[in-house]
Amino acid sequence: MLGLATVIAGYLLGSISSAVLICQLFRLPDPRLHGSGNPGATNVLRLGGKLPALLVLISDILKGTIPVWGGYFLGLSPWVLALVGVAATLGHIYPLYFKMQGGKGVATALGAIAPIGWQVLLMLGATWLAVAAISRYSSLASIVACSLTPLYVYLVRPEHPEYIAPVSLLIALILWRHRANMVRLYQGTEPKLGAKRNAGPETD
């Protein structure tokens, strides 16, 4: 029962749309209706600049970190913790309070993985920045970083191989949400970082 309650709490916390609320705070357009139509940090960056985008990014990360950390201190098993992380990410993707219109879940998934070790975050951040700087594609950077996450988790926590499968489950969800981005990348129609505000769908 404790594990189920934590999973439900993770979903409810993840359902808080940081992008929508912060855009309201800064009197910006609804990110679900403007720009790419995606309520995530990348779209908010285009709509309102760096500060609101940074706040969205931090908030989305915390939505994943807080319930997983809480479950960790409650002594839940790695698989239950993974379900908490998946629930928080699903809350971001399909938010209960915002008509199920959510983002891609990258930042929230990142937050859910964060309790495994800060080194994982650094490796993922460095990977994202390197790929984004070279390609100028936010989606490609997210896809590459996510794909390497199980490897990074193993390198940081080789003494806990039980983390690999749950993390892989979470990453599979994120990659599935990026299937349209993958098609556009293949077709050469994916919008690059720095494109105009009315560009196509984003990654976060």
Side-chain angles (χ1 to χ4, degrees):
M1 291 298 295
L2 181 60
L4 177 60
T6 308
V7 169
I8 294 173
Y11 173 75
L12 295 177
L13 180 61
S15 290
I16 300 173
S17 183
S18 309
V20 174
L21 295 177
I22 288 174
C23 280
Q24 290 177 351
L25 179 64
F26 282 83
R27 302 183 184 278
L28 298 173
D30 189 328
R32 298 169 298 178
L33 304 175
H34 296 81
S36 69
N38 189 63
T42 303
N43 195 28
V44 174
L45 176 64
R46 286 179 170 174
L47 294 174
K50 295 179 180 179
L51 178 58
L54 179 61
L55 293 176
V56 170
L57 179 62
I58 293 173
S59 299
D60 285 348
I61 289 174
L62 290 176
K63 289 193 305 185
T65 301
I66 291 172
V68 173
W69 262 122
Y72 174 80
F73 284 113
L74 290 173
L76 301 181
S77 70
W79 270 107
V80 176
L81 292 177
L83 290 177
V84 173
V86 169
T89 304
L90 284 173
H92 177 84
I93 296 171
Y94 303 109
L96 180 64
Y97 321 119
F98 295 88
K99 301 179 180 180
M100 300 294 174
Q101 298 176 11
K104 294 293 178 65
V106 173
T108 303
L110 181 67
I113 294 170
I116 293 176
W118 60 267
Q119 300 94 329
V120 176
L121 293 185
L122 287 181
M123 295 165 81
L124 290 173
T127 301
W128 192 96
L129 289 172
V131 176
I134 294 170
S135 69
R136 303 302 299 168
Y137 287 114
S138 174
S139 58
L140 180 61
S142 296
I143 291 167
V144 172
C146 285
S147 299
L148 292 173
T149 300
L151 172 62
Y152 292 161
V153 170
Y154 173 75
L155 293 175
V156 171
R157 290 286 182 262
E159 72 278 13
H160 291 294
E162 67 272 17
Y163 289 156
I164 303 300
V167 167
S168 298
L169 174 65
L170 183 58
I171 295 306
L173 171 63
I174 299 303
L175 293 179
W176 178 79
R177 283 289 292 171
H178 281 79
R179 62 195 186 281
N181 299 87
M182 295 178 191
V183 172
R184 288 192 297 271
L185 285 167
Y186 178 77
Q187 296 174 339
T189 58
E190 180 77 346
K192 291 189 175 184
L193 287 168
K196 294 181 180 179
R197 293 182 182 182
N198 60 354
E202 291 292 353
T203 177
D204 47 37

